[in-house]
């Protein structure tokens, strides 16, 4: 290699690679703990999350607990649970004993108690509280959204694809492990409703001005598609005669938007007809299909699809294709619902493979058109 070639290569590296490398965000230990199946995650398999969270719009705080039931699949050691700063764990309890735990950024390493033989099922409960990270540009970043509806009432939700569910609740925050079922019990001021995934089991209204809404998901669920929707909602239900029988359709626009929703959300039926034809039955007949207005553009929250497309066709009223076809259908209804098959029913174990979710959802759009 000539000296001149060496200089040329050095120049190219400086000009081309240098700036690209400088733009890469620094890869941290927290990224490794969040993104890999660490030894502290590998020895146990989540069976059930029993999540209870109180949302207080007065001071933008959450407080609650998650009882995690898991099956031991290998030799036990410390157990990793994720909960992002600035949230704090108050205590971890197993078998009536408080467990020692050590924080390492957004991960906690917990010393379990009692024998943990392979095949056994155990439960530990994590109590936590704090003022969770606020989403600045949901759904593109992540966090809790403390919004207001058109009449100024509190309207709260979360978006955490990529960032992870541990931005608002303590969880094994990897797509490699999903609970077989999950409870989501949301406590909110009793002037508001609290909607989530799956079906409503009951509402407990207390004399202190707070209500608890208990939702139950009977199926496997990704942690990032668990979501609260807290606000003042209208509602109607329908039944869709689908490939696996009667499917409950539960529609929840804001109270101010029921008329627009009744018109625009008729597109749910042709969407289901198309996707059941090409991809097989909707995956969650037991939990039903819900479309619910959210204070952000949209997200594939399982059996509770977030909708924020303004009751217009296209992508916020725009035709991304430039062909005219883009304005013949509602992008968010079609795209986010496609993720029920591609993303929620079939989930990549590693977040690095998210292209599978997005590419097949985009393919589904083409089939729908
Ligand atoms: Zn998508």
């Amino acid at each position: 290699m000539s000296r001149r070639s060496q200089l040329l290569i050095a120049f190219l590296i400086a000009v081309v690679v240098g700036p690209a490398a400088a733009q890469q965000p620094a890869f941290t230990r927290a990224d490794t703990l969040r993104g890999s199946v660490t030894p502290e995650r590998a020895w146990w398999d989540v069976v059930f999350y029993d999540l209870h969270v109180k949302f207080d719009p007065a001071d933008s705080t959450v407080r609650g607990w998650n009882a995690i039931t898991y099956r031991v699949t290998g030799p036990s050691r410390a157990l990793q649970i994720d909960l992002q700063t600035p949230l704090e764990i108050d205590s971890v309890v197993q078998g009536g004993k408080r467990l020692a735990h050590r924080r390492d950024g957004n991960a906690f390493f917990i010393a379990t108690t009692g024998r943990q033989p392979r095949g056994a099922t155990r439960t530990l409960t994590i109590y936590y509280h704090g003022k969770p990270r606020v989403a600045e540009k949901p759904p593109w970043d992540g966090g809790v959204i403390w919004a207001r509806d058109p009449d100024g009432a509190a309207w709260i939700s979360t978006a955490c694809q990529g960032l992870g569910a541990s931005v608002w609740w303590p969880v094994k925050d990897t797509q490699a492990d999903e609970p077989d079922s999950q409870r989501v019990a949301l406590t909110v001021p009793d002037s508001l409703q609290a909607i989530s995934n799956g079906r409503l089991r009951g509402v407990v209204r207390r004399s202190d001005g707070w209500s608890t809404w208990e939702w139950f998901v009977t199926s496997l669920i990704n942690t990032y598609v668990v979501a609260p929707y807290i606000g003042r909602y209208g509602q109607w239900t329908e039944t869709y005669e689908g490939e696996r029988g009667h499917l409950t359709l539960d529609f929840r626009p804001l109270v101010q938007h029921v008329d627009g929703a009744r018109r625009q959300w008729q597109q749910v039926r042709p969407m289901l007809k198309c996707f059941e034809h090409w991809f097989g039955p909707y995956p969650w007949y037991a939990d039903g299909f819900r479309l619910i207005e959210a204070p952000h553009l949209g997200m594939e929250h399982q059996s509770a699809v977030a909708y924020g497309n303004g009751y217009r066709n296209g992508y916020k009223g725009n035709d991304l294709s430039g062909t005219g076809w883009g304005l013949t259908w509602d992008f968010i209804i079609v795209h986010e619902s496609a993720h029920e098959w591609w993303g929620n029913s079939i989930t990549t174990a590693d977040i690095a493979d998210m292209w599978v979710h997005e590419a097949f959802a985009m393919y589904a759009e083409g089939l729908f058109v």
Side-chain angles (χ1 to χ4, degrees):
M1 186 184 289
S2 72
R3 171 77 181 151
R4 188 172 165 168
S5 299
Q6 287 176 5
L7 279 174
L8 182 62
I9 288 168
F11 173 77
L12 286 174
I13 287 172
V15 170
V16 178
V17 181
Q23 285 163 10
Q24 291 290 325
F27 190 72
T28 64
R29 173 168 167 74
D31 293 328
T32 301
L33 293 176
R34 163 85 172 85
S36 54
V37 179
T38 61
E40 292 80 7
R41 281 174 166 172
W43 67 271
W44 54 286
D45 177 37
V46 179
V47 174
F48 181 58
Y49 286 130
D50 193 0
L51 177 63
H52 299 249
V53 190
K54 179 179 182 177
F55 282 81
D56 191 343
D59 59 4
S60 304
T61 60
V62 298
R63 176 178 293 277
W65 50 276
N66 185 18
I68 301 174
T69 299
Y70 59 92
R71 191 176 299 109
V72 179
T73 58
S76 69
R77 53 192 297 157
L79 181 149
Q80 179 183 340
I81 292 294
D82 307 282
L83 184 67
Q84 296 180 28
T85 56
L87 293 176
E88 298 277 358
I89 285 182
D90 300 312
S91 62
V92 185
V93 176
Q94 184 167 48
K97 291 187 183 139
R98 284 176 75 117
L99 304 184
H101 56 273
R102 174 177 64 82
R103 181 164 209 162
D104 185 345
N106 294 326
F108 289 79
F109 295 94
I110 297 164
T112 57
T113 184
R115 289 182 58 246
Q116 310 272 328
R118 192 188 301 256
T121 300
R122 296 285 184 266
T123 300
L124 59 77
T125 305
I126 298 164
Y127 296 86
Y128 78 107
H129 79 279
K131 199 166 184 171
R133 169 180 163 146
V134 173
E136 303 289 344
K137 290 197 307 182
W140 311 118
D141 61 352
V144 178
I145 304 146
W146 305 92
R148 296 274 162 189
D149 77 7
D151 292 329
W155 188 23
I156 305 160
S157 192
T158 58
C160 56
Q161 182 180 30
L163 183 63
S166 55
V167 74
W168 70 279
W169 54 288
V171 61
K172 184 180 190 177
D173 204 351
T174 168
Q175 286 175 197
D177 197 357
E178 300 180 356
D180 302 341
S181 61
Q182 173 153 1
R183 171 158 44 194
V184 184
L186 302 170
T187 299
V188 299
D190 59 13
S191 60
L192 304 172
Q193 300 162 26
I195 319 299
S196 190
N197 314 77
R199 292 190 192 267
L200 183 65
R201 285 205 163 164
V203 182
V204 176
R205 297 184 188 280
R206 291 198 304 272
S207 57
D208 62 0
W210 293 81
S211 300
T212 298
W213 296 61
E214 181 192 345
W215 297 84
F216 201 92
V217 180
T218 62
S219 318
L220 294 160
I221 184 166
N222 298 337
T223 55
Y224 84 82
V225 297
V226 174
Y229 299 88
I230 299 162
R232 297 189 309 154
Y233 281 98
Q235 184 203 9
W236 79 94
T237 58
E238 300 176 13
T239 302
Y240 179 78
E241 299 305 328
E243 296 209 351
R244 199 164 278 167
H246 311 301
L247 174 62
T248 308
L249 307 182
D250 182 33
F251 297 103
R252 308 259 184 170
L254 285 181
V255 285
Q256 299 90 347
H257 298 156
V258 172
D259 291 345
R262 280 192 180 274
R263 173 180 45 77
Q264 186 73 3
W265 289 1
Q266 288 175 19
Q267 293 185 38
V268 165
R269 287 174 179 274
M271 175 276 295
L272 287 168
K273 189 165 191 294
C274 172
F275 291 165
E276 286 207 317
H277 172 76
W278 290 107
F279 304 143
Y282 172 76
W284 324 113
Y285 270 71
D287 294 327
F289 176 89
R290 174 170 304 112
L291 190 61
I292 179 162
E293 189 166 353
H296 60 82
L297 179 61
M299 186 55 69
E300 60 263 31
H301 297 148
Q302 183 170 314
S303 64
V305 172
Y307 180 90
N309 204 30
Y311 303 100
R312 289 175 295 179
N313 278 357
Y315 182 95
K316 296 195 277 192
N318 299 306
D319 179 5
L320 294 185
S321 72
T323 63
W325 284 99
L327 287 178
T328 62
W329 50 286
D330 188 310
F331 176 86
I332 291 299
I333 292 174
V334 171
H335 177 90
E336 304 305 344
S337 300
H339 281 306
E340 294 285 20
W341 286 262
W342 306 106
N344 296 345
S345 179
I346 293 177
T347 307
T348 59
D350 192 316
I351 200 170
D353 296 320
M354 287 297 280
W355 70 270
V356 173
H357 300 190
E358 296 306 330
F360 279 92
M362 184 175 263
Y363 173 59
E365 295 166 22
L367 291 176
F368 181 82
V369 171

